[in-house]
């Protein structure tokens, strides 16, 4: 048999699995440790009530002959696509329901979309960034080049004429750094993509966390309809990490040699995916109702309290950090001259706090660590107290 040898070029395990294993090993060796998890960005608040109610009703419908549903619509139930369209309208973007494809999540989509592109593409990936972009392109054997993000460019790399690619990944607000492009910077990327014939993969999974006037969709930038694909998700917006639902938007204007990318994506999806289940679709659609938006705003405000606690703690310690403002993540420059994994071990051993080492998001992430604001207030407060106690002592040594 012949395996895909590109898998052998990957790191041994996916970043968040490596972190989870280290935490589990530590717990095995120290069963008494009260570990606080601030590594993977998994939500802790329960689902919004409106989603629970809608899904409950959908379950009842599925249990009755008259209202039972079989296969869902491959590209999304009409009521879900209309709810997503109205969400876009609220942020000033006009999109047709047939330009939206509902899916099981943005992680899957940013990986699966590669199916519709040629094998010999060159991709430009920010460093650091969500590790799925790099891993899936290694799996596909693509040529990968990087745009470096660092403190000097505010973790917002800009187009560089010497780095031309067929596919450009942007994630804004960025995972892991929390940096968000403003309108003018995003416009430069759109202009660059149009001038070079590239397509932008725009990951907007954290758009609901934006607190300033940074664009919440790339489709707010003129020309993006001809060069961008947007990915979004209900995971962080509405606590759907365990329910699974996302959506991809491709405008009809996005073509290559006269072929609509939207048609290729739909062809791919109808062959390899049977659609978002009716029950989940009802829950997701409820999230974008007026009542739902109110509830998710309350949940997001709760998580924001966490990032506030974190940034206040780090300020009081005199640490340098980024993010937290337009993002549920705080991106901390490791103190005491430590590297990412060194500070990861330090936090684990001395504070029993799990973070995600910045290096896991790319080599430019070394020297940083990411902490998630998706925990409970109690655990976040406790974690910050431990870090303050240990780190202020440590400074004195
Ligand atoms: C993260 O921690 O970066 C995310 O939870 C991972 C994901 O969304 O798949």
């Amino acid at each position: 048999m012949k395996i895909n040898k590109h898998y052998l070029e990957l790191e041994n395990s996916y970043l968040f699995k490596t972190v989870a294993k280290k935490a589990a090993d530590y717990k095995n060796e120290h069963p008494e440790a009260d570990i606080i998890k601030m590594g993977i960005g998994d939500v802790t608040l329960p689902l919004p009530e409106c989603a629970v109610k809608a899904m409950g009703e959908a379950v009842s419908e599925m249990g009755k002959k008259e209202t039972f549903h079989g296969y869902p619509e491959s590209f999304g139930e009409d009521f879900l696509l209309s709810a997503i369209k109205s969400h876009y309208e609220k942020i000033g973007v006009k999109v047709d329901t047939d330009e939206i494809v509902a899916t099981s999540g943005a992680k899957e989509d940013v990986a699966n979309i590669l199916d519709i592109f040629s094998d010999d593409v060159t991709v430009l990936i920010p460093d650091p960034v969500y590790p799925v972009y790099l891993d899936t392109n290694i799996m596909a054997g693509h040529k990968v080049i990087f745009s470096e993000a660092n403190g000097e460019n505010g973790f917002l790399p800009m187009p560089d004429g010497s780095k031309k690619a067929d596919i450009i990944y942007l994630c804004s607000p960025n995972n892991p750094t929390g940096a968000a492009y403003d309108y003018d910077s995003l416009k430069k990327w759109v202009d660059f993509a149009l001038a070079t014939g590239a397509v932008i993969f725009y990951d907007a999974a954290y758009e609901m966390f934006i607190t300033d006037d940074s664009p919440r969709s790339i489709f707010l930038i003129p020309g993006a309809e001809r060069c961008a694909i947007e990915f979004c998700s209900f995971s962080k917006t509405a606590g759907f990490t365990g329910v699974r639902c996302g959506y991809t938007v491709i405008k009809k204007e996005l073509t290559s040699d006269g072929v609509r990318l939207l048609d290729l994506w739909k062809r791919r999806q109808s062959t390899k995916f049977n659609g978002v289940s009716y029950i989940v679709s009802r829950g997701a659609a409820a999230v974008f109702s007026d009542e739902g938006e109110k509830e998710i705003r309350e949940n997001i405000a709760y998580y924001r309290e966490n990032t506030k606690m974190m940034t206040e703690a780090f300020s009081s310690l005199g640490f340098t950090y980024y993010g937290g403002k337009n993002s549920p993540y705080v991106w901390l420059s490791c103190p005491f001259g430590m590297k990412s994994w060194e500070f990861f071990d330090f936090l684990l051993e001395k504070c029993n706090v799990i973070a995600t080492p910045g290096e896991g998001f790319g080599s430019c992430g070394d020297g940083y660590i990411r902490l998630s604001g998706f925990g409970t207030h109690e655990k976040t407060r406790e974690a910050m107290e431990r870090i303050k106690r240990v780190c202020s002592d440590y400074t004195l040594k």
Side-chain angles (χ1 to χ4, degrees), residues 14-15 58 67 76 78 102 117 122-123 135 142 145 199 214 224 236 248 257 302 321 328 352 361 385:
Y14 179 56
L15 173 63
T67 48
D78 286 347
F117 292 90
T122 298
V123 302
D135 283 5
H142 293 162
I145 53 175
V199 60
S214 303
K236 312 299 155 80
T248 302
D257 292 331
Y302 177 95
Y321 61 83
N352 292 163
F361 297 97
E385 274 162 20

Side-chain angles (χ1 to χ4, degrees), residues 14-16 39-43 107 130-132 175-176 205-206 233 235-236 241 244 329 356 361 370 372 374:
Y14 179 56
L15 173 63
F16 295 108
I40 190 163
D42 199 2
V43 292
K107 178 180 187 175
Y130 186 36
V132 172
N175 177 11
Y206 297 92
S233 159
S235 287
K236 312 299 155 80
T241 54
R244 309 305 304 150
Y329 302 123
T356 308
F361 297 97
R370 191 196 77 175
S372 160
F374 284 119

Side-chain angles (χ1 to χ4, degrees), residues 11 61 67 72 79 90 92 96 131 135 141 148 188-189 194 205 243 249 267 285 299 352 364 369 387:
E11 290 286 327
E61 281 181 55
T67 48
F79 59 82
K90 284 182 199 153
D96 293 334
D135 283 5
E148 276 115 40
K188 290 201 175 100
W189 275 112
L194 288 171
V243 177
V249 179
R267 186 69 181 82
N299 289 0
N352 292 163
C364 293
I369 204 141
I387 292 175

Side-chain angles (χ1 to χ4, degrees), residues 97-322:
T97 48
D98 61 357
E99 294 172 321
I100 305 168
V101 177
T103 66
S104 60
K107 178 180 187 175
E108 295 86 319
D109 296 349
V110 292
N112 293 336
I113 194 81
L114 293 174
D115 277 7
I116 70 167
F117 292 90
S118 166
D119 287 343
D120 60 357
V121 287
T122 298
V123 302
L124 178 64
I125 297 182
D127 174 2
V129 88
Y130 186 36
V132 172
Y133 309 164
L134 176 61
D135 283 5
T136 52
N137 277 287
I138 292 176
M139 289 171 180
H142 293 162
K143 180 173 177 209
V144 179
I145 53 175
F146 296 97
S147 48
E148 276 115 40
N150 47 45
E152 273 139 54
N153 60 23
F155 289 98
L156 292 168
M158 294 307 295
D160 167 353
S162 70
K163 289 188 180 170
K164 294 215 183 70
D166 302 290
I167 297 171
I168 297 168
Y169 286 79
L170 296 178
C171 177
S172 182
N174 180 273
N175 177 11
T177 67
Y181 283 106
D182 64 16
Y183 184 93
D184 291 343
S185 315
L186 202 49
K187 183 165 183 323
K188 290 201 175 100
W189 275 112
V190 168
D191 292 346
F192 180 73
L194 288 171
T196 57
V199 60
I200 296 176
F201 287 1
Y202 192 75
D203 185 346
Y206 297 92
E207 59 95 0
M208 283 294 284
F209 288 82
I210 291 177
T211 52
D212 59 18
D213 54 6
S214 303
R216 287 177 51 189
S217 162
I218 196 163
F219 295 118
L220 287 162
I221 313 295
E225 68 284 356
R226 284 178 286 125
C227 68
I229 298 179
E230 182 156 296
F231 304 92
C232 208
S233 159
F234 288 89
S235 287
K236 312 299 155 80
T237 298
F240 270 44
T241 54
V243 177
R244 309 305 304 150
C245 192
Y247 46 97
T248 302
V249 179
I250 308 181
K251 304 286 289 178
K252 295 183 191 92
E253 293 89 332
L254 179 60
T255 58
S256 171
D257 292 331
V259 178
R260 277 185 188 167
L261 272 66
L262 175 63
D263 295 341
L264 297 186
W265 179 234
K266 287 189 171 178
R267 186 69 181 82
R268 190 261 171 219
Q269 287 299 92
S270 52
T271 307
K272 297 197 182 181
F273 181 60
N274 258 339
V276 179
S277 81
Y278 177 73
I279 298 166
V280 168
S281 301
R282 279 287 175 206
V287 165
F288 285 153
S289 64
D290 289 344
E291 180 52 31
E293 294 239 2
K294 193 169 148 276
E295 283 186 60
I296 57 177
R297 291 213 168 276
E298 282 165 16
N299 289 0
I300 288 169
Y302 177 95
Y303 294 134
R304 264 201 199 105
E305 282 290 307
N306 287 337
T307 46
K308 185 159 173 276
M309 272 185 238
M310 287 149 68
T311 52
E312 280 172 3
F314 299 143
S315 295
S316 76
L317 287 162
F319 291 175
T320 303
Y321 61 83
Y322 302 82

